[in-house]
Structure formats: C-alpha cells, structure tokens
Amino acid sequence: MLRSLVLVVYALALRWPPPNGDTMIKKKVDPRRVKIVDDVGAKVFELVDKAAKNAIEDKCHFFLGIPGGSILEMLAGTSPEWAAQTTVVWVNHKCVPLEDATSTSAKAKELFLNAWEGCKIVDLKGGPDSIAEANSYDSALRALEMPVNFEGGP
C-alpha cells in the first residue's frame, strides 16, 4: 500500500538525477495511473495504518522501516493502537549521536515515537564511525529475524 503512494509521488516528481541535466519531466505519465492526494500526510498514515493492521492480523507483528525526512512529519502526532506490536527500523540515518537534534531517531521520537507506547525501536549506536555503525545495525536487523518474502524483503 505505502509503495503505491510512493510510486504516485515519484510519478509526479522530477526524475533525479536527470539524464541530461534538464529538470523538466520528459516522460508522460498516464493520468489514469495518477491519483491526486490532497493531504499526503494523512494518506501516508492511512496506508501505514492499514498495512500495520494487516501485518498484525497475519503475523502478529508489524515491522516499519522509516527513511526519515518528510515521512517523519507525516507521522507526527499519531499514536496508533498497534504501536505495541510494532518494531521500527531506520532506512537511513545520519552518523551523529542519537540525541543530536539532526538525528532521525531524535526527530522521530519528538514528533511521534514517544507517543507510540510499547513500540520497539532498533536504534543505531550513535557513533562517528559509519562503517562500525553500518555493521552494528546490520547485525541488529538480522537478529530481528523478520519474516521475508521471496524477493528478500519483509
């Protein structure tokens, strides 16, 4: 579900990096495939909410990968009923201390995760060594034993 919204957003966004340096959209998008969403944040949460409920019904747990950026703003102020059955992982994160105001973790906690009671967060260590952080986080994610599909994704 969330992938569908992301595809819609990308269908409307500029192709980056543009192959010739031009920032105009050259490829025509079939208008029947584009759905205009007035409140993207509400729609994103609606899709996440539905995916969470389906995952919990099927597998008793929901794994949510969050990239940071505007997605954090879109989840701001939410406190879903399924939070205690959710594990949040970061898709990307700056190599800064976790309490640093620019860290994805700190931003997410302030915007919504502090209200997600019982939610498990797989955080990085917050160190300056990006290789060590990546290796440590990889180990932490593998330890979760997330169910995966045939393509290797959750």
Side-chain angles (χ1 to χ4, degrees):
M1 295 289 174
L2 184 55
R3 183 177 288 164
S4 299
L5 181 64
V6 171
L7 291 176
V8 168
V9 171
Y10 281 129
L12 297 174
L14 300 175
R15 202 167 113 197
W16 197 259
N20 61 1
D22 186 2
T23 57
M24 297 301 294
I25 298 174
K26 299 291 183 188
K27 185 177 179 182
K28 289 189 177 186
V29 176
D30 182 348
R32 295 171 295 180
R33 296 186 60 182
V34 175
K35 181 179 179 186
I36 304 301
V37 178
D38 291 328
D39 186 348
V40 175
K43 186 63 176 178
V44 166
F45 184 74
E46 176 187 320
L47 294 172
V48 170
D49 186 60
K50 184 175 181 179
K53 288 174 179 172
N54 288 339
I56 291 166
E57 182 179 319
D58 292 345
K59 300 174 183 150
C60 299
H61 198 80
F62 180 51
F63 291 92
L64 177 61
I66 300 178
S70 61
I71 296 295
L72 301 178
E73 297 288 338
M74 292 178 192
L75 296 173
T78 61
S79 55
E81 62 194 37
W82 40 260
Q85 294 165 280
T86 301
T87 299
V88 170
V89 299
W90 308 118
V91 175
N92 60 14
H93 197 288
K94 293 179 180 77
C95 201
V96 296
L98 297 178
E99 63 278 356
D100 188 288
T102 64
S103 87
T104 301
S105 181
K107 290 176 189 176
K109 287 174 183 171
E110 181 182 328
L111 290 169
F112 62 93
L113 280 180
N114 286 337
W116 287 25
E117 291 186 32
C119 177
K120 178 180 179 184
I121 304 164
V122 181
D123 254 328
L124 287 88
K125 303 290 184 212
D129 182 344
S130 61
I131 300 298
E133 283 290 311
N135 288 333
S136 174
Y137 204 61
D138 179 67
S139 294
L141 293 177
R142 289 178 190 277
L144 292 174
E145 298 182 11
M146 286 186 278
V148 295
N149 61 28
F150 290 110
E151 289 82 34

